[in-house]
Amino acid sequence: MDEPVLLTGAGGRVGQAILRHLGDRFEWRLLDREPLGAEKRPDGVGEEDVYVTDITDEEAVEAAMDGVYAVIHLAGDPRPEAPWDSVLRNNIDGTHTIFEAAVDAGVEKIAFASSNHAVGAYETDERTPEMYRPEDGFRLDGTELPHPSNLYGVSKATGEVLGRYYYDHHDLSVVNVRIGNLTEGHPPIDYERGQAMWLSYRDCAHLFERCVLADYDYEIVYGISDNDRKYYSIERAREVLGYDPVDNSAEHED
Ligand SMILES: NC(=O)C1=CN([C@@H]2O[C@H](COP(=O)(O)OP(=O)(O)OC[C@H]3O[C@@H](n4cnc5c(N)ncnc54)[C@H](O)[C@@H]3O)[C@@H](O)[C@H]2O)C=CC1
Ligand SMILES: O=C1O[C@H](COP(=O)(O)O)[C@@H](O)[C@H](O)[C@H]1O
């Protein structure tokens, strides 16, 4: 594959985890509404490969999408407490703009950064905290309906449905990655839920690498490391994408 991979939200935590481990793996085109200094760009990615624009700007997104093979779409408001006006603009309208431009440009596939918060309401008082523990067998596997924890989760579920629409009506492969809790170096401390859905930086990069390279139609997978504590199945990601994580939050417990 010689064509570029467009990474939106490249300057954020997930984007930087990906670039840190996959900097020389693809020909990158980076997009963010904030400028990306040299320290945020892999070697060989110059300012000419960076698009400083808002994803709701249709013309600018069209320009960034020209000739692109695949998109990793991360840009958006990541705050679980984000208000409706922000998720409507950044997460829903922005994601719609990305899909429209991708279809127009003939992009092959899109990996969309969905979230645990699209399904957070499965974590009921009856199930918690037991479901966060290794001996508990409760698993979500991506076939369940969305069950959002907040309006941010609603926006992520909406992104997944937008992807379904563009997959059904256009020649575009779509994978939605319901990312757990990306934390650098070690799992969250004193936070069982976060340890159960920990995603290490290197597993995050590997997972999105597989999203670019694997063949699929429309998928919903969970993005967590291979934690002993887990309530998300990673079997679908293994099967369809060839995801093979190396980290486990249990290895960081005393
Ligand atoms: N970090 C995590 O543990 C998780 C992240 N996610 C999702 O992954 C994606 C990335 O999250 P993070 O890297 O943690 O967030 P972040 O806030 O660190 O990075 C987001 C990046 O997107 C850019 N951005 C935001 N709105 C934009 C817009 N309208 N146009 C252009 N650029 C825009 C920001 O400037 C920033 O660089 C988000 O969509 C988030 O919802 C989902 C689950 C967990
Ligand atoms: O979707 C997201 O989820 C992570 C983890 O959620 P939390 O409720 O354990 O904080 C969050 O840190 C991140 O900001 C968000 O985008």
Side-chain angles (χ1 to χ4, degrees), residues 22-235:
L22 301 179
D24 57 4
R25 188 74 177 87
F26 302 116
E27 187 182 323
W28 289 107
R29 191 172 293 175
L30 309 180
L31 185 153
D32 203 293
R33 66 183 173 190
E34 302 296 333
L36 299 179
E39 76 290 353
K40 292 207 160 188
R41 303 194 306 259
D43 289 346
V45 177
E47 283 181 12
E48 66 281 7
D49 302 313
V50 177
Y51 288 74
V52 181
T53 182
D54 197 288
I55 52 168
T56 58
D57 182 334
E58 290 174 22
E59 274 183 29
V61 170
E62 273 170 29
M65 202 67 75
D66 187 40
V68 160
Y69 169 73
V71 179
I72 300 175
H73 175 42
L74 310 175
D77 189 334
R79 295 171 298 158
E81 70 284 7
W84 180 246
D85 60 346
S86 178
V87 296
L88 181 61
R89 175 181 165 76
N90 295 297
N91 298 6
I92 298 178
D93 192 21
T95 297
H96 170 257
T97 305
I98 292 290
F99 274 113
E100 277 287 321
V103 164
D104 287 347
V107 165
E108 295 274 334
K109 52 185 93 160
I110 293 197
F112 170 63
S114 185
S115 169
N116 62 90
H117 285 283
V119 286
Y122 285 102
E123 299 169 44
T124 57
D125 288 346
E126 292 70 35
R127 292 189 179 121
T128 60
E130 287 74 18
M131 68 188 283
Y132 306 140
R133 296 180 177 158
E135 56 280 7
D136 194 90
F138 182 83
R139 295 281 184 279
L140 298 174
D141 64 7
T143 60
E144 61 280 329
L145 287 171
H147 205 3
S149 352
N150 40 46
L151 293 174
Y152 162 73
V154 171
S155 75
K156 290 296 166 179
T158 305
E160 295 179 1
V161 179
L162 278 169
R164 182 74 215 191
Y165 169 77
Y166 284 95
Y167 163 71
D168 281 338
H169 297 276
H170 301 279
D171 191 19
L172 181 69
S173 299
V174 177
V175 58
N176 302 285
V177 182
R178 289 179 178 163
I179 302 171
N181 185 311
L182 182 84
T183 305
E184 189 172 5
H186 56 78
I189 295 164
D190 294 335
Y191 181 30
E192 281 189 290
R193 174 173 187 264
Q195 291 158 3
M197 61 171 180
W198 183 47
L199 178 64
S200 72
Y201 268 44
R202 61 181 167 176
D203 285 341
C204 175
H206 162 63
L207 176 53
F208 280 100
E209 177 184 22
R210 294 311 310 159
C211 291
V212 172
L213 296 177
D215 290 324
Y216 47 85
D217 295 315
Y218 177 83
E219 293 292 335
I220 296 175
V221 301
Y222 283 95
I224 61 168
S225 289
D226 190 12
N227 307 317
D228 287 356
R229 297 170 183 271
K230 62 166 86 67
Y231 55 98
Y232 298 143
S233 169
I234 55 174
E235 290 314 305

